[in-house]
Amino acid sequence: MQKTKYSFDKNVSSQLKVLALMLMIMHHLWYWPFFALFKSISYGHLLLSIGMLGKICVGMFLFVSGYGLMASYRSGGNVFHIRRRLKKVLLSFWLIVILVAPFLLFIHEVKWYQVVTDALLLTRNMNRHWWFMQTYVIYVVCFPLFAKSLKYKMVWIPLLIVSVVCFQPLAKFLRYYSEAGHYVLHYFPLLYSGMIARKFSLFDFLAEQRVWCRLFLAAALVVARFVLGWNILNIGLIVAMIMFLIDIQGYLSDRVKRSFDFIGKMSMNMWLIHLFFIVYGIHFRNPFVDLVWIYLESLVAACVIWRVYHKLCGCKW
């Protein structure tokens, strides 16, 4: 096979989300402070290293989000409905807040007013990792401005360069004053890179190249990330992952693709709820069994939330 007929479509997007979810749970379960559950295991340091690497999951989600938002924007005739997008995301989030709040109130983890401020995305008392929702909502509100910037080379090229070079160091300084601002700046290059990749059909172009060219580029991106050690090069690592997923599409059955697609639809709800199972749930001594257990718990809970959401909204699956 020299060229591939596949590109970055919904199947590949779902598969990338499933991989990101696994890395996310590895990061939260096998990194501090929950790494202490498995610290005594002989290969504990390996788990810790994998847990650290799992942090790339955020970049993966934001890259694919930027790509997906840009795809929706272009297919809609360069029209983006902010309210419709926010409604889709926030209704599920509020449902999770309503379902989880009684338990946290009962065990005195939060106060009722903290539940309200969390629901309004002003605080993160119920789950400190809900900063992602704050960041994503800001990105959605600002997306039309980001999309319009891509019409002008004199705007998007300097903006991309400045964001790659300056935004992450600047975000560290900003963290002392605003955590929301910190995360928005820190992850902007990944969201914007996803938008650029869709705008200029990067993966369609790569799919047309010979397989050895794609393999060489993927290997170079992976080596550059781990040799240089720059976090911003996670963009290249994510591109390499997507290229790999594109190339294996022909070997995956329709049943496997449907399974990935289903879990991909549950990804946001799993993201929002998995930490409650890690903090308050049952754990197994074997880290791999525990990983699968947390993943399955989160998937089942996400499915229940998905069903309730669609019952309330009168929508079909």
Side-chain angles (χ1 to χ4, degrees):
M1 181 181 68
Q2 293 300 306
K3 300 179 181 180
T4 178
K5 62 180 181 180
Y6 302 98
S7 189
F8 192 8
D9 56 13
K10 288 186 177 180
N11 287 328
V12 175
S13 175
S14 295
Q15 292 156 25
L16 191 68
K17 289 177 182 177
V18 172
L19 177 58
L21 280 164
M22 185 63 74
L23 290 170
M24 170 190 63
I25 297 176
M26 287 178 177
H27 175 62
H28 290 156
L29 188 62
W30 293 351
Y31 196 52
W32 300 111
F34 297 101
F35 170 68
L37 294 169
F38 315 108
K39 189 175 181 180
S40 59
I41 295 175
S42 59
Y43 49 88
H45 290 295
L46 176 61
L47 294 182
L48 184 61
S49 298
I50 295 173
M52 292 174 64
L53 179 63
K55 194 174 182 179
I56 194 177
C57 64
V58 179
M60 294 166 68
F61 271 112
L62 287 174
F63 186 94
V64 75
S65 293
Y67 193 96
L69 290 172
M70 196 65 199
S72 298
Y73 177 75
R74 297 189 70 185
S75 64
N78 292 345
V79 176
F80 185 76
H81 301 282
I82 296 176
R83 287 184 59 187
R84 188 182 302 173
R85 178 67 61 171
L86 290 180
K87 178 183 176 181
K88 182 179 179 181
V89 174
L90 289 176
L91 285 180
S92 293
F93 170 67
W94 288 331
L95 180 58
I96 291 173
V97 171
I98 292 170
L99 293 174
V100 173
F103 170 73
L104 295 180
L105 288 168
F106 178 76
I107 64 174
H108 304 291
E109 281 288 320
V110 295
K111 306 293 184 181
W112 67 267
Y113 62 86
Q114 292 176 322
V115 174
V116 174
T117 55
D118 278 17
L120 295 174
L121 296 176
L122 300 175
T123 57
R124 296 179 284 113
N125 298 291
M126 298 174 66
N127 186 334
R128 60 189 177 87
H129 291 286
W130 280 353
W131 62 263
F132 181 81
M133 281 299 298
Q134 295 175 323
T135 305
Y136 186 75
V137 166
I138 292 172
Y139 284 152
V140 169
V141 171
C142 297
F143 175 79
L145 183 62
F146 299 157
K148 288 181 180 179
S149 73
L150 294 180
K151 295 181 180 180
Y152 310 101
K153 289 183 179 180
M154 296 301 293
V155 176
W156 74 262
I157 293 178
L159 179 57
L160 178 63
I161 294 172
V162 170
S163 68
V164 167
V165 175
C166 302
F167 276 17
Q168 289 193 348
L170 183 60
K172 292 181 180 179
F173 171 78
L174 188 61
R175 190 166 199 167
Y176 294 104
Y177 304 96
S178 169
E179 278 205 316
H182 160 79
Y183 288 118
V184 168
L185 277 184
H186 184 84
Y187 288 106
F188 175 81
L190 289 142
L191 179 93
Y192 203 55
S193 296
M195 292 174 59
I196 292 171
R198 180 63 188 90
K199 169 71 175 179
F200 299 103
S201 304
L202 172 64
F203 296 103
D204 292 336
F205 169 76
L206 292 174
E208 295 174 356
Q209 308 308 308
R210 295 184 179 275
V211 66
W212 66 265
C213 292
R214 297 196 301 273
L215 288 173
F216 178 79
L217 177 59
L221 292 172
V222 173
V223 170
R225 169 61 183 89
F226 289 106
V227 170
L228 297 176
W230 297 340
N231 285 334
I232 199 63
L233 292 180
N234 282 341
I235 296 172
L237 196 57
I238 294 166
V239 170
M241 292 180 190
I242 294 171
M243 290 166 59
F244 171 77
L245 290 174
I246 291 172
D247 276 335
I248 66 171
Q249 291 308 293
Y251 303 99
L252 300 179
S253 66
D254 289 339
R255 179 177 295 181
V256 171
K257 290 179 180 178
R258 286 195 299 269
S259 298
F260 277 115
D261 181 59
F262 174 74
I263 300 175
K265 289 178 180 179
M266 302 297 113
S267 60
M268 180 61 79
N269 289 340
M270 291 177 70
W271 181 288
L272 292 170
I273 205 157
H274 76 282
L275 200 69
F276 294 107
F277 293 110
I278 294 178
V279 176
Y280 303 106
I282 298 171
H283 288 276
F284 294 90
R285 293 186 62 85
N286 186 298
F288 299 102
V289 173
D290 202 38
L291 175 68
V292 174
W293 171 247
I294 297 295
Y295 202 96
L296 291 176
E297 281 185 307
S298 303
L299 178 59
V300 171
C303 291
V304 172
I305 293 165
W306 180 271
R307 273 192 171 277
V308 173
Y309 169 77
H310 282 269
K311 283 285 185 180
L312 292 175
C313 294
C315 303
K316 297 182 179 179
W317 277 57

